[in-house]
Amino acid sequence: MKKIVHILAFFLMAMVSAMGVQAQIVLPDHDQPTVHSDMSADHEDSDTSARDTIALVADSLALDSLLPDDSLSASSPWPQNLCRRLDALVDHSMFETSQLGLMVYDLTADSALYTRGHRQLLRPASTMKLVTAIAAIDKLGGSYQFRTSLYYTGRVDSGTLTGDIYCVGGFDPLFNSDDMKAFVDRIKSMGVDTIRGRILADRTMKSADLLGEGWCWDDDNPVLSPLLVSRHDDFLSRFEQELSEVGIVLDVTTGESSVPNGAYIVCSRFHTIDQVLMRMMKDSDNLYAESLFYQLAASGGNRPAEARHARQAISRLIRKVGLDPTRYKIADGSGLSLYNYLTAELEVALLRYAYRNADIYIHLYPSLPIAGVDGTLKRRMRGGFASGNVHAKTGTLTCITSLAGYCTAANGHVLAFSIINQGVIHDSNGRSFQNRVCEAMCRP
C-alpha cells in the first residue's frame, strides 16, 4: 500500500512540476495524522504559509520510511531498539541544513537513554514556558494566588465617598469583567452613590516595560501591564464606565499613584497558580507565561519587579539542578524573545527536577498538552502509541519547532525528553520529526 501511495506522490509531484510550481507534500502514514495547526498564542502552527500547506514531499517521504521494522522488538531489548530507531530518524538530510537538540532520559532508571546535540545552544520557542513554570512553582508554591485589589482613602458620608480609589494591579491575566463587576458591587454595597476625588491606577508591581526583551515589533504581542481587565490595558476607563452604569455619580479625575499606607481595603480578587498554568501550558498563552515570569520576579520583594529579577531566580534553579546558568541566555518567560538560548539538556534536567519533586509535578503535569487529546497537541500523534501518552509543551517560532515533556515507554518506565529543531524552514518538518521521535519512545 505504501508503494502505491509513493507512486501516486511521484506522479503528483510530476504534475505540479509541469505546472511550474515547486511543492512538497505531506503523506500521512499508518500511525501519524497529517500535521494540523495547534492554535497557540506564540505562533504554534498558526498562519501556515502557502508553501507549508503544500509542504514537504522529500522530507516526509524519507521520514515515513525511517522508523525501523517492528521485528527489531523481538531481537533486542527495548532501550537498544529505541536507540536504533532514533539513530535512523536523526540520520536524515534535513539535518544537513538545520540543527537538532535531542535528549531522552529514563526517569525510572535515572539514566540518559539517548542524546544528539543535547548541549547545543538553541532557541527554545514556547518550551521556555516549561522553564518558567518549573521555576515559579518551585519558588512560589502550588498555593500561590494572583491578586488584584481595590482600596480607598477619605471618608464615606451620606452616600458620598470623598477621597481617592486605588486600583492595585498584581498582573493577574485572568482578571475579567466578572471580577470588575465584583469591584463595582462592593463599592455599591458600601452605600456609595457619589464619588468625589480621584480614581488611580497602581501599577508599581512591575516595571513600566510593556514588551519583552527581544520581541519582534510586528508580532501580536501581549501587553505587559500589571493592571489588566480581559487582557486589555484599559482598566480605569472600564471601571469608570461600570460605576456609572450602576448609577454611581462620578466627579473624579484619573491618574496613577501607589496606594498609600493606611488606605482601606475594599475588595480583592484572586486566581490560583493552577488556573494560570492550565491556560499558559495547554494553549501556550504568552500573556499568562509573562505574568508568571513577573510573579517570580516579584517574589523576592522587588518593587517594581523587572525581568532581570526573574532571570536571577531561574539562574538559582539552574544551579540547583547542577548546571551552569552562565552557559544559557534567558530573556523572557514565554519564549517569544529571539534572545533566549537553552539546551535540550537543560530542559530535561528541569523536567527531571520537577518529576522528583512531588510539590512541583502535581501542578506541572496536569497542565501539559496531551498528544491527540487537548491543547496544542490535540491534532498531533493521534492513533499511535504516543496518543494519550505524551504530555508535553510545544513551541514554534519562525524556523524553530520544539517539544519537551514526559511519556511512558512500553516497559513502563517514565521518560523525560526535549526536542529542539532550529533552522527548519517548514514547521511541519520539525513537528513530523518530533511526532516520530515520540512514537519511537512509546512503541514496544
Side-chain angles (χ1 to χ4, degrees):
M1 181 64 185
K2 183 174 282 189
K3 288 183 179 179
I4 296 173
V5 174
H6 287 195
I7 292 169
L8 289 173
F10 174 81
F11 283 112
L12 181 55
M13 284 188 289
M15 291 172 61
V16 174
S17 177
M19 295 168 63
V21 178
Q22 289 187 332
Q24 297 178 330
I25 301 168
V26 178
L27 292 183
D29 59 26
H30 70 285
D31 62 353
Q32 298 293 345
T34 303
V35 179
H36 295 279
S37 293
D38 272 356
M39 298 187 329
S40 132
D42 67 338
H43 311 289
E44 299 278 332
D45 300 331
S46 62
D47 298 329
T48 306
S49 64
R51 65 176 181 273
D52 281 343
T53 309
I54 318 179
L56 39 145
V57 168
D59 286 349
S60 287
L61 288 177
L63 284 170
D64 263 351
S65 62
L66 276 179
L67 278 180
D69 201 287
D70 282 340
S71 62
L72 282 178
S73 60
S75 62
S76 59
W78 175 83
Q80 283 132 338
N81 282 348
L82 173 63
C83 291
R84 291 172 68 181
R85 290 166 182 160
L86 296 182
D87 278 339
L89 284 170
V90 301
D91 184 22
H92 188 264
S93 60
M94 71 183 284
F95 298 115
E96 294 174 6
T97 57
S98 65
Q99 299 81 52
L100 171 66
L102 170 60
M103 186 169 189
V104 180
Y105 195 91
D106 187 329
L107 293 166
T108 305
D110 202 17
S111 62
L113 291 179
Y114 192 88
T115 60
R116 183 67 65 97
H118 63 301
R119 290 177 178 161
Q120 284 199 71
L121 285 168
L122 302 170
R123 292 171 180 162
S126 266
T127 55
M128 182 67 209
K129 292 181 175 71
L130 274 173
V131 179
T132 302
I134 294 168
I137 302 167
D138 187 46
K139 176 68 174 178
L140 303 173
S143 60
Y144 184 82
Q145 294 179 321
F146 294 65
R147 176 187 303 195
T148 307
S149 300
L150 198 64
Y151 290 82
Y152 80 95
T153 58
R155 67 184 188 279
V156 178
D157 185 23
S158 301
T160 299
L161 191 163
T162 304
D164 299 329
I165 292 179
Y166 295 83
C167 306
V168 183
F171 207 163
D172 180 357
L174 282 161
F175 190 96
N176 59 23
S177 56
D178 289 337
D179 299 301
M180 181 68 80
K181 184 178 185 299
F183 274 10
V184 172
D185 288 346
R186 186 70 186 94
I187 293 283
K188 189 79 171 174
S189 70
M190 292 167 57
V192 174
D193 55 33
T194 303
I195 300 175
R196 290 198 174 97
R198 298 179 298 171
I199 297 179
L200 301 167
D202 183 342
R203 294 187 173 93
T204 57
M205 178 263 187
K206 71 170 289 293
S207 63
D209 297 328
L210 297 181
L211 295 175
E213 179 184 342
W215 288 9
C216 293
W217 64 269
D218 56 348
D219 272 349
D220 183 19
N221 297 312
V223 177
L224 304 184
S225 168
L227 192 57
L228 298 171
V229 53
S230 301
R231 307 178 69 96
H232 297 293
D233 190 20
D234 59 351
F235 195 101
L236 293 189
S237 61
R238 287 277 299 275
F239 187 43
E240 283 189 274
Q241 178 183 338
E242 298 207 17
L243 287 168
S244 297
E245 286 176 356
V246 298
I248 295 177
V249 177
L250 301 178
D251 181 13
V252 298
T253 58
T254 58
E256 297 202 12
S257 177
S258 59
V259 62
N261 292 331
Y264 303 104
I265 183 73
V266 176
C267 184
S268 287
R269 297 291 286 182
F270 304 90
H271 290 100
T272 68
I273 195 170
D274 285 328
Q275 288 175 295
V276 171
L277 283 170
M278 289 298 287
R279 175 76 176 265
M280 165 183 165
M281 305 298 273
K282 293 285 189 186
D283 297 340
S284 198
D285 193 296
N286 295 317
L287 175 64
Y288 285 53
E290 294 301 329
S291 171
L292 192 57
F293 187 68
Y294 278 95
Q295 307 298 323
L296 184 58
S299 63
N302 304 296
R303 290 292 187 277
E306 299 178 7
R308 63 186 176 90
H309 298 132
R311 294 175 196 133
Q312 290 165 2
I314 293 172
S315 291
R316 285 191 290 272
L317 176 59
I318 292 173
R319 249 183 238 104
K320 193 189 293 187
V321 301
L323 296 174
D324 180 2
T326 64
R327 293 183 54 212
Y328 313 102
K329 172 67 175 176
I330 293 171
D332 66 7
S334 62
L336 272 177
S337 176
L338 299 181
Y339 299 162
N340 291 311
Y341 278 95
L342 304 180
T343 65
E345 178 184 47
L346 173 59
E347 292 192 336
V348 167
L350 292 173
L351 287 165
R352 176 179 177 269
Y353 178 78
Y355 180 77
R356 291 163 65 90
N357 288 268
D359 290 339
I360 300 175
Y361 194 70
I362 196 173
H363 299 282
L364 177 71
Y365 189 71
S367 73
L368 294 172
I370 304 171
V373 176
D374 65 14
T376 55
L377 285 179
K378 185 174 184 178
R379 294 188 176 98
R380 289 176 60 175
M381 294 177 265
R382 291 186 293 188
F385 291 101
S387 181
N389 184 343
V390 170
H391 292 61
K393 183 70 199 74
T394 57
T396 307
L397 286 174
T398 302
C399 295
I400 300 163
T401 60
S402 55
L403 185 70
Y406 303 100
C407 66
T408 301
N411 64 356
H413 285 206
V414 179
L415 310 183
F417 66 91
S418 172
I419 315 165
I420 305 175
N421 292 100
Q422 180 169 287
V424 180
I425 294 297
H426 301 284
D427 294 344
S428 314
N429 277 342
R431 290 193 295 271
S432 181
F433 171 78
Q434 292 156 15
N435 292 350
R436 284 163 172 79
V437 169
C438 289
E439 189 68 11
M441 289 189 293
C442 297
R443 69 191 297 192

